[in-house]
Amino acid sequence: MHFRRKIVVAALAVAVACLLAACGNTAADNAAARNQTAQGSAQNTGSGAPSDSSVLIAYFSQTGNTEEAAQRIAQYTGGDLAEIQRAEEYTDLQEEAEAEILDGVHPDITVSVEDIAQYDTIFVGYPIWWDEAPAMIATFLAENNFAGKTVVPFCTSASDSIDNSLHIFDELCPDATIAEGLTANDLDDIEPWLQALGVVE
């Protein structure tokens, strides 16, 4: 009787040990999966370059045109993408956005990158509004330290070129090198522009 009881106890101990081992493996597998997912989310959506890339493409896009240009730049450079957004949506886009630009307001923003310090070259993209960059771009430039970095403006526009919007880069990034900007309405212009900048071969 005691012998049978010992066998049962031993069998139960083995079963519990196996169950704990299985749970431990599941937790480890889940942790590994989360880690892999986090690493994947840090990669850009273009070429799949790792998040230790020295190139960042930060952009604000209202209609998707600037986002498309940003994605094309990421494909060519292997850079990481970061979306700039206004923290609060406009109640009246036309009135509020124009007033922000005219009054030099820097609205609160969110940016899908924690720290730009790891990047050497930072593309900054935006649509042209009232012949200027949206106020969110001024916020992004004012809130980050671009000293010693190369900043590359690009825009999309229904009619105006990038030229009149470039003054904010000199004003807000005095210690950065400002590269030649591009009005990227034609996506086919992006590759030769990057080649001329020496960013890609």
Side-chain angles (χ1 to χ4, degrees):
M1 186 71 171
H2 292 293
F3 181 71
R4 288 182 182 176
R5 189 173 299 170
K6 288 182 179 179
I7 292 176
V8 171
V9 170
L12 286 174
V14 171
V16 169
C18 291
L19 182 61
L20 290 174
C23 290
N25 288 339
T26 301
D29 291 343
N30 288 341
R34 284 194 300 271
N35 185 48
Q36 187 173 7
T37 300
Q39 290 176 348
S41 65
Q43 296 179 353
N44 71 69
T45 57
S47 65
S51 60
D52 62 356
S53 167
S54 64
V55 176
L56 178 70
I57 303 99
Y59 67 93
F60 166 74
S61 185
Q62 180 69 22
T63 64
N65 292 333
T66 306
E67 181 176 36
E68 188 175 9
Q71 290 172 342
R72 184 66 65 91
I73 293 170
Q75 290 173 358
Y76 286 127
T77 64
D80 295 335
L81 288 165
E83 184 174 11
I84 301 167
Q85 293 183 312
R86 196 174 189 268
E88 295 184 8
E89 292 186 6
Y90 290 108
T91 302
D92 185 327
L93 174 61
Q94 295 287 328
E95 181 178 338
E96 294 174 22
E98 183 177 17
E100 284 179 339
I101 293 171
L102 293 175
D103 296 338
V105 174
H106 294 175
D108 291 337
I109 63 172
T110 62
V111 187
S112 59
V113 64
E114 292 184 3
D115 185 14
I116 70 164
Q118 64 181 305
Y119 300 100
D120 300 320
T121 301
I122 301 163
F123 289 80
V124 182
Y126 49 91
I128 294 292
W129 288 356
W130 296 278
D131 207 21
E132 295 280 359
M136 286 73 72
I137 299 302
T139 303
F140 176 72
L141 298 179
E143 288 185 349
N144 290 285
N145 181 9
F146 295 93
K149 301 182 183 299
T150 298
V151 178
V152 191
F154 69 97
C155 76
T156 56
S157 172
S159 57
D160 300 314
S161 73
I162 198 171
D163 297 339
N164 196 58
S165 68
L166 295 177
H167 64 94
I168 63 171
F169 292 89
D170 291 328
E171 294 166 6
L172 299 174
C173 309
D175 299 319
T177 299
I178 311 301
E180 181 182 357
L182 175 71
T183 305
N185 291 336
D186 186 345
L187 297 180
D188 290 337
D189 291 338
I190 291 176
E191 185 176 18
W193 168 61
L194 294 174
Q195 290 171 338
L197 292 175
V199 178
V200 298
E201 295 181 357

